[in-house]
Amino acid sequence: MSVSHSSKLNKVVRDQYMKLPQGDKVLVTYVWIDGSGEGVRCKTRTLNQEPKCIEDVPEWNFDGSSTEQAEGSNSDMFLIPIRMFRDPFCLDPNKLVLCEVLKYNRKHAETNLRHTCKKIMDMVQDNHPWFGMEQEYTLLGINGHPYGWPENGFPGPQGPYYCGVGSDKVYGRDIVESHYKACLYAGVKICGTNAEVMPSQWEFQVGPCEGIEMGDHLWMARFILHRVCEDFGVVATLDPKPMTGNWNGAGCHTNYSTEEMRQEGGLKFIESAIEKLSKRHDYHICVYDPRGGQDNSRRLTGYHETSNIFEFSAGVANRGASIRIPRQVGQDGFGYFEDRRPAANCDPYAVTEAIVRTTILNETGVETKDYVEKSRLERGVFKD
Ligand code: ADP
Ligand code: MN
Ligand code: MN
Ligand code: MN
């Protein structure tokens, strides 16, 4: 069996309860990133009145020892509400609230990368950095096998699946459309979707978002995806290379522009940003997945529409490059560019922060985090 038990519970019965009036009370679901830096967690509480803005949502806490986030015997962690969305599952007036995580001493948790991202974005507000991220993901049955693939084998080779239509081309469109509508209802800035090159792999895009908004909206879109998948009994994985062999991996292409790039003559600012990125390839690879480049090394092979992890490259309309300038942008002479390197499981706070550090703050140094150093050594690219 490839779909979960809970997805088979009687949804008509559920509806009967969901229709019950809830008085003045409001369900607020707090959502946060767990200690893996990839997983999301949530829990729900009742508020006596509808929060009208994020300041109306009180801080809360959780047991960090159960989310790989505790430090010693101090397992209480704080949840700091930072952005509120409408709840597409329990409907208005209920809310989904994205939170930052602080430790018992109110210092940010290890996997709270929003904390520094926000500081950096505040420094560069006047440049109005815009981002649009393309989240690729793969649907799996609860048996861990791609959803819709033959139990003991493989579908035909890639070719007919990208943007495909028809039962033999795409698997799980119900999920994709439900997720899309749920994001719109919630207020997530989702801007598109398409079936991907590997069957049962899909993509949605979020953007354009300015500054810190990018990470906030993408994380909530991911939460909604996992939650929608629960209802259908399948699992969405963000693994950057779920199937080895001749199957495309999953990335999170990051489109980026500043105000000056978006204006006439902006191409020269795009080119200058790419020049800066070319000098800091290693640093970017290190922050483009949660394990300092190790996850992405399975994906960035130079094949299957990717660039090689060890080389920086850029080009107009080149989907085999690290950085692509869309053809339209090349023609117009202004617009944005696409960094194709981030892995599907990247933390958008880390990615957007790194891009801003390199292209606006002109940083040239390298990350010093332990996992980054370790992974650089393991990948044999420790050359600074
Ligand atoms: P691709 O051709 O690479 O598949 P998509 O259509 O999937 O491109 O995604 C394009 C992304 O670019 C969207 O997320 C969109 O929000 C984003 N985008 C569009 N214009 C800009 C801009 N000026 N600055 C930053 N991002 C942008
Ligand atoms: Mn795309
Ligand atoms: Mn894609
Ligand atoms: Mn793309």
Side-chain angles (χ1 to χ4, degrees):
M1 191 186 69
S2 69
V3 299
S4 70
H5 286 283
S6 343
S7 68
K8 296 188 172 167
L9 294 176
N10 189 327
K11 301 299 176 186
V12 177
V13 176
R14 176 182 187 268
D15 272 355
Q16 182 191 328
Y17 294 104
M18 294 309 286
K19 284 195 202 110
L20 293 175
Q22 58 182 62
D24 297 335
K25 308 290 185 194
V26 176
L27 276 73
V28 180
T29 298
Y30 289 57
V31 175
W32 71 97
I33 301 160
D34 73 14
S36 70
E38 273 183 82
V40 279
R41 310 264 177 148
C42 73
K43 61 175 190 161
T44 305
R45 75 192 300 187
T46 304
L47 293 188
N48 288 329
Q49 58 197 35
E50 182 179 353
K52 296 295 181 198
C53 59
I54 194 68
E55 289 76 23
D56 292 344
V57 183
E59 285 184 16
W60 204 12
N61 50 57
F62 68 96
D63 171 14
S65 64
S66 306
T67 61
E68 305 168 61
Q69 280 167 310
E71 199 164 273
S73 52
N74 296 302
S75 68
D76 272 9
M77 311 286 283
F78 294 102
L79 290 172
I80 315 299
I82 49 92
R83 201 177 287 274
M84 188 162 75
F85 297 86
R86 291 165 74 198
D87 181 343
F89 307 103
C90 296
L91 309 186
D92 290 337
N94 304 306
K95 307 293 179 204
L96 301 178
V97 170
L98 189 68
C99 297
E100 275 197 39
V101 177
L102 301 187
K103 295 191 277 199
Y104 66 95
N105 56 11
R106 298 194 74 83
K107 293 221 160 63
H108 62 94
E110 305 309 321
T111 51
N112 175 359
L113 305 189
R114 186 183 194 273
H115 180 78
T116 51
C117 182
K118 176 78 167 61
K119 275 193 201 155
I120 297 294
M121 294 303 171
D122 286 346
M123 287 167 70
V124 301
Q125 303 187 23
D126 294 346
N127 299 74
H128 300 285
W130 288 8
F131 301 93
M133 295 179 83
E134 305 168 44
Q135 178 69 65
E136 294 180 337
Y137 62 94
T138 310
L139 296 176
L140 306 176
I142 47 160
N143 55 9
H145 197 56
Y147 177 72
W149 285 32
E151 285 289 324
N152 297 308
F154 298 91
Q158 295 184 161
Y161 310 116
Y162 170 74
C163 298
V165 186
S167 306
D168 54 343
K169 310 284 193 309
V170 291
Y171 308 117
R173 194 187 300 275
D174 283 348
I175 294 164
V176 173
E177 291 178 347
S178 301
H179 172 254
Y180 205 137
K181 294 274 283 204
C183 282
L184 287 179
Y185 182 94
V188 168
K189 292 187 174 177
I190 188 168
C191 63
T193 189
N194 59 268
E196 268 307 331
V197 175
M198 183 178 101
S200 63
Q201 198 167 78
W202 295 85
E203 167 179 315
F204 63 84
Q205 300 101 29
V206 176
C209 290
E210 186 162 330
I212 196 69
E213 206 184 40
M214 183 69 252
D216 292 351
H217 281 247
L218 185 58
W219 273 112
M220 188 50 79
R222 288 175 176 179
F223 170 80
I224 292 172
L225 177 65
H226 295 309
R227 176 63 187 75
V228 165
C229 282
E230 264 183 37
D231 287 342
F232 287 97
V234 301
V235 173
T237 178
L238 303 189
D239 189 287
K241 190 78 175 184
M243 300 306 282
T244 52
N246 247 339
W247 304 104
N248 273 34
C252 196
H253 298 167
T254 303
N255 301 271
Y256 167 66
S257 62
T258 57
E259 189 157 68
E260 53 189 13
M261 295 176 195
R262 293 188 291 269
Q263 290 165 359
E264 209 163 309
L267 193 58
K268 64 174 180 291
F269 298 105
I270 291 178
E271 281 162 354
S272 145
I274 293 174
E275 173 68 18
K276 293 173 197 169
L277 287 166
S278 75
K279 301 207 167 86
R280 235 188 166 198
H281 179 62
D282 256 23
Y283 162 71
H284 283 265
I285 287 296
C286 286
V287 295
Y288 282 3
D289 74 49
R291 269 160 289 278
Q294 287 183 58
D295 289 350
N296 226 348
S297 66
R298 290 183 280 122
R299 162 179 168 259
L300 294 179
T301 55
Y303 302 98
H304 306 112
E305 298 172 68
T306 68
S307 57
N308 186 301
I309 195 165
F310 297 111
E311 286 160 28
F312 181 90
S313 56
V316 175
N318 183 355
R319 290 176 188 263
S322 318
I323 305 283
R324 165 179 153 260
I325 299 175
R327 189 174 303 285
Q328 188 66 45
V329 174
Q331 278 166 12
D332 295 344
F334 62 90
Y336 64 98
F337 66 89
E338 175 189 47
D339 191 336
R340 301 176 59 82
R341 296 170 294 176
N345 62 351
C346 68
D347 187 323
Y349 296 127
V351 172
T352 55
E353 176 185 326
I355 292 175
V356 163
R357 281 181 184 273
T358 304
T359 65
I360 305 182
L361 298 179
N362 299 315
E363 289 186 9
T364 52
V366 291
E367 263 293 318
T368 52
K369 272 189 190 149
D370 285 354
Y371 74 84
V372 170
E373 301 298 323
K374 188 165 164 280
S375 116
R376 289 155 72 91
L377 280 169
E378 280 168 8
R379 286 181 302 118
V381 290
F382 201 90
K383 51 177 184 255
D384 301 290

